[in-house]
Structure formats: C-alpha cells, structure tokens
Amino acid sequence: MKLNVDGLLVYFPYDYIYPEQFTYMLELKRSLDAKGHCVLEMPSGTGKTVSLLSLIVAYLRTNPVDVTKLVYCSRTVPELEKVIEELKSLMKYYEQELGEQPTILGLALSSRKNLCIHPRVSKEPTGKEVDAGCQGLTASYIRTKHHYDSSVPLCSYFEAFDDNGRDAPIDPGVYNLDDLKDIGQERGWCPYFLARYTIMHANIVVYSYHYLLDPKIAELVSKDLPKTSVVVFDEAHNIDNVCIDSLSVNITRRTLDRGEGNLEYLKGSIERIKEVDENKLKREYQRLVEGLRLANEERETDAQLANPVLPDEILQG
C-alpha cells in the first residue's frame, strides 16, 4: 500500500499496517526532517524493521541530497539476513508499483568467515583461522614475495577482484551474503573484498555493530562513509555491551608469561647491541686518535723539508 506520512509518499509492501507502525514512521520522519537523533521502541514482532526501511528508503529517494546512504547496524548474522530479506520484499513492491526496478543498491557485509569462497581457507573452523588464512594469501608483503618467488601462494579470487572488480561494479539490487558468494563464484572474485569495496557507493548497507563501533574495524571499513548517512542501530540496548567488548582485552596467565619472555629477550638483544656498539665506538675513537697523530707527524715532517736547518759551519763559511 501507499501511505502519506507527513507529506512523504511511502511504499509499504503489505496490505495492512498497524497504527503503531504508522506512528513509528511519523516520528522517524520528523527526526529526519530535524536532522537529529531519536530513540524509537516497539514490541517484538510488530514490524518495526519493515516500517523503518519503508520510511527511510522513501526519504532517501525523495531527498537524495540530504540523505545519501542508509547504514543499518544489526547484532547477529540471522538478524542481518532478516533485514536484507525485508529490503528485498520492499524493492520487489517498488518494482510492481513503478513498473521498473529502483536504481538502489543494497547489500550485507559480514566477516571473511561468512563470505570466503577459497577452497582451503573457507573450510577453517573458526573466524580467526579464516582471517589468518586470508591474510596469509592477500597481505601486501606476501604479494611482494610472490613477485620475486612464484612458488609463494596467493588467493586467485582476491587477485582477480583486484585486477578487474573495481572497474565493473555490481548492478543495482539487493544482495545478501549468499548472493555475494554467487557473484564471487561466477566472476572469480573475492566476495568479502567485493562487499567492502561496494559499500562505499551502495545506497543501503547492512552490517554488524562492530563495523561502526569498534575503532580498529571502523578505521578500515567505515571511515569514508558520508556525513549525509542515516545510521540505524537495531536492538540498540546492546550498544554498550558491543562497545565494552570492542575496547576490552582478555589477558591470560599464558599471555603474561609470553610477554615477560619477550621482554627478557628484548632486554638481552639491547644489551648485546649496546656492547657491540660500545666496542665499535672505542675502535673508531682509537682510529681517529691514531689518524690525528699521524697527520700531525706528517705536518711536522713537511715543515722540516720546506725549511731545512743547515749546519753552522756551512752558514759561517
């Protein structure tokens, strides 16, 4: 159905809307007009996700200068996929009503563990192992080594994307994680790096809280997002826990013992370097002193040759 929400034409992909959903959209519209912040709460199962997407997509289409991107932050991968499915339904409804596919690009971004298609790395059991395996095939120093030694393995999917992926962006549409992996298999490109590149020019991005709240990850992924983005935190009561987790470090006894061992090794290395440098400095000093002594002797010899002292008998004769 089509709704008039405070003067904004909103496409809503269902035949019935709850009064609470309309109120939700109305308050959200007012917050966007004011370019401010808002906290909205609705009970679970009352359709807040589709209400939010319907309103913001309509606002984005009507006010493309004021709002250029929707960044939707979700907590878990299943929640992320649910948002993408709702967005697909909304875009399908737009296509039915308008007779053409909207020129909107939306996609999900998740970790390497959920997007990797490398035959070996993708089978690693944990996310950390997948990350390590990926970096071991794509890091700049690994690629430099391969340049001089072709036996050093690289990821063919990353290399193919790096060669061609940035010049052939994906078509408008809505892509979940499986869709991105299908594109990766079809074109021989890495889905993870494809998604990371595409979020910069996508209209709608759906990803985990960590990509925006964790400073280490945000510096790599989200630092170039435009100031005209609308940012949504779904289940926002989890933000404090995500921030605590992002800025916390777990230190075990084993970590402390290894750290102490590394410090002892570093201390020994510094002492050895200082001893070597001290001996080298002494030798250089001795060579300098000897060089000055020889130079002084040579100057005295040159002076005597230039002004010889003749015997007295010769001078008197």
Side-chain angles (χ1 to χ4, degrees), residues 28 32 51-61 70 230 232:
L28 180 56
L32 292 174
S51 301
L52 188 149
L53 290 173
S54 298
L55 190 285
I56 296 181
V57 168
Y59 201 94
L60 189 152
R61 286 169 52 85
L70 166 61
V230 174
V232 174

Side-chain angles (χ1 to χ4, degrees), residues 39-298:
V39 177
L40 297 173
E41 183 176 10
M42 285 179 66
S44 298
T46 52
K48 59 179 179 294
T49 300
V50 68
S51 301
L52 188 149
L53 290 173
S54 298
L55 190 285
I56 296 181
V57 168
Y59 201 94
L60 189 152
R61 286 169 52 85
T62 307
N63 303 276
V65 175
D66 298 327
V67 177
T68 58
K69 187 184 293 284
L70 166 61
V71 180
Y72 195 110
C73 301
S74 191
R75 190 167 57 91
T76 65
V77 172
E79 290 172 352
L80 179 153
E81 292 281 42
K82 178 184 175 183
V83 174
I84 288 293
E85 290 309 309
E86 289 280 18
L87 184 58
K88 283 189 173 186
S89 298
L90 178 60
M91 292 298 102
K92 184 177 180 181
Y93 181 66
Y94 265 100
E95 186 174 0
Q96 291 173 355
E97 291 296 317
L98 299 176
E100 60 182 8
Q101 183 179 359
T103 56
I104 285 181
L105 175 59
L107 76 158
L109 172 64
S110 188
S111 63
R112 290 175 173 86
K113 173 66 177 172
N114 297 317
L115 284 170
C116 180
I117 57 174
H118 188 277
R120 175 179 60 82
V121 177
S122 62
K123 292 182 172 58
E124 296 291 350
T126 67
K128 288 185 177 180
E129 290 172 299
V130 172
D131 289 347
C134 174
Q135 292 165 3
L137 296 173
T138 62
S140 57
Y141 74 93
I142 294 293
R143 301 175 77 194
T144 301
K145 283 185 178 180
H146 177 83
H147 180 73
Y148 296 101
D149 181 3
S150 59
S151 66
V152 176
L154 297 177
C155 176
S156 61
Y157 295 99
F158 175 75
E159 295 300 319
F161 168 75
D162 194 49
D163 289 339
N164 304 303
R166 293 176 176 82
D167 298 324
I170 57 179
D171 297 329
V174 180
Y175 301 89
N176 60 23
L177 301 181
D178 287 336
D179 295 331
L180 292 170
K181 292 168 77 171
D182 289 342
I183 293 174
Q185 293 285 10
E186 177 185 336
R187 303 187 185 183
W189 296 351
C190 170
Y192 173 75
F193 284 98
L194 171 63
R196 276 201 32 192
Y197 172 73
T198 304
I199 65 172
M200 290 300 103
H201 57 268
N203 305 106
I204 302 171
V205 179
V206 183
Y207 59 23
S208 167
Y209 286 16
H210 293 85
Y211 288 95
L212 206 57
L213 297 178
D214 189 321
K216 301 182 294 295
I217 302 175
E219 178 66 19
L220 295 173
V221 177
S222 303
K223 67 176 182 179
D224 294 324
L225 291 177
K227 300 295 185 181
T228 51
S229 300
V230 174
V231 178
V232 174
F233 289 101
D234 194 13
E235 304 289 340
H237 58 274
N238 295 297
I239 287 180
D240 55 348
N241 291 331
V242 173
C243 292
I244 291 170
D245 180 61
S246 298
L247 298 176
S248 298
V249 177
N250 295 322
I251 300 177
T252 64
R253 180 68 191 184
R254 182 169 179 266
T255 302
L256 292 174
D257 291 341
R258 292 179 65 183
E260 183 180 11
N262 289 336
L263 286 175
E264 291 295 331
Y265 176 80
L266 181 60
K267 179 182 177 181
S269 299
I270 292 174
E271 291 297 331
R272 287 192 298 272
I273 293 171
K274 287 172 64 177
E275 183 178 350
V276 171
D277 288 349
E278 183 180 3
N279 293 332
K280 185 185 296 185
L281 182 60
K282 286 180 179 179
R283 291 194 298 270
E284 290 293 336
Y285 177 73
Q286 290 170 356
R287 280 198 292 268
L288 177 61
V289 171
E290 182 67 15
L292 291 173
R293 185 184 65 78
L294 292 174
N296 188 52
E297 289 179 355
E298 290 175 355

